[in-house]
Amino acid sequence: MKIYNTLTKKKEVFKPISEEQVGMYTCGPTVYHYAHIGNLRSYIMEDVLEKELRYEGYNVKRVMNITDVGHLSSDADTGEDKMLKGAKREHKTVCKKLNIKTPDVVEPATNCIDEFINMVKVLLEKDYAYVAGGNVYFDTSKLKEYYTLTSHDEDELMVGVRDDVDEDENKKN
């Protein structure tokens, strides 16, 4: 089985890190209003990949996160939480109509707050993050190849490119 490697930009033979189990971590829903084709495509592709790995004989443990907090209405970390606002408005929770296999573990972000706090502490201790204006920011300048997986150029991500995002004066980069 060959899978596209985002880092090398090539199709490569899949080789699991562990012979006993393939760990698969996938992003789950963060729905603010309605699920769109981009959301659905991700869930279907994750499901197809898991099923193919199982078909190939691998023991797969798939974990999906549920972002149930933390997406504020401004990229400057201000305003109302978009997910909570959307759920209240629509009187809905997460959609289950895709007919895909439920992951082995479904973990809401709110169950992991202590781990997130510890990770942030480590990033601060190692100087990979900084505090400004009461918020903690990851310092992208600390990683020479920060944009490697996305193929973005830092210059393409300049402030003012999107009309719907306000500049956060606290961010270094």
Side-chain angles (χ1 to χ4, degrees):
M1 171 181 199
K2 287 189 174 187
I3 296 182
Y4 182 77
N5 182 332
T6 308
L7 185 59
T8 64
K9 312 284 189 261
K10 296 177 184 172
K11 288 182 188 175
E12 299 176 0
V13 174
F14 175 72
K15 184 172 177 170
I17 295 169
S18 166
E19 293 295 323
E20 292 81 40
Q21 187 175 66
V22 172
M24 188 174 170
Y25 180 85
T26 61
C27 292
T30 306
V31 179
Y32 312 124
H33 185 210
Y34 54 88
H36 56 75
I37 192 70
N39 302 125
L40 304 179
R41 178 192 173 279
S42 295
Y43 307 145
I44 293 167
M45 292 306 297
E46 293 160 1
D47 183 63
V48 168
L49 177 58
E50 177 186 2
K51 287 174 179 170
E52 176 62 23
L53 288 168
R54 289 182 190 280
Y55 176 79
E56 295 282 337
Y58 293 105
N59 176 24
V60 179
K61 181 174 183 181
R62 180 172 165 215
V63 176
M64 176 185 274
N65 77 307
I66 304 292
T67 305
D68 59 346
V69 69
H71 281 71
L72 303 180
S73 57
S74 160
D75 278 357
D77 294 328
T78 60
E80 190 173 3
D81 185 290
K82 290 187 271 188
M83 186 163 188
L84 296 177
K85 180 180 175 184
K88 278 187 246 176
R89 180 186 62 241
E90 301 295 322
H91 306 288
K92 293 181 179 177
T93 57
V94 178
C95 174
K96 292 185 178 181
K97 295 183 179 180
L98 292 177
N99 196 27
I100 61 174
K101 180 187 171 297
T102 302
D104 302 298
V105 178
V106 177
E107 191 67 46
T110 49
N111 288 353
C112 305
I113 299 298
D114 290 338
E115 289 92 339
F116 297 153
I117 290 170
N118 288 330
M119 281 190 279
V120 169
K121 285 180 181 177
V122 170
L123 290 170
L124 287 166
E125 288 167 7
K126 294 185 175 192
D127 202 31
Y128 280 92
Y130 59 95
V131 176
N135 295 313
V136 178
Y137 299 94
F138 184 77
D139 189 351
T140 61
S141 70
K142 299 291 182 172
L143 295 177
K144 181 176 70 169
E145 298 175 350
Y146 179 75
Y147 298 103
T148 300
L149 291 178
T150 64
S151 299
H152 284 119
D153 183 320
E154 186 174 2
D155 294 336
E156 294 173 1
L157 303 173
M158 301 300 288
V159 173
V161 174
R162 287 180 42 194
D163 293 336
D164 61 330
V165 177
D166 295 326
E167 180 179 359
D168 184 344
E169 299 289 335
N170 294 309
K171 289 184 180 180
K172 292 180 184 178
N173 44 46

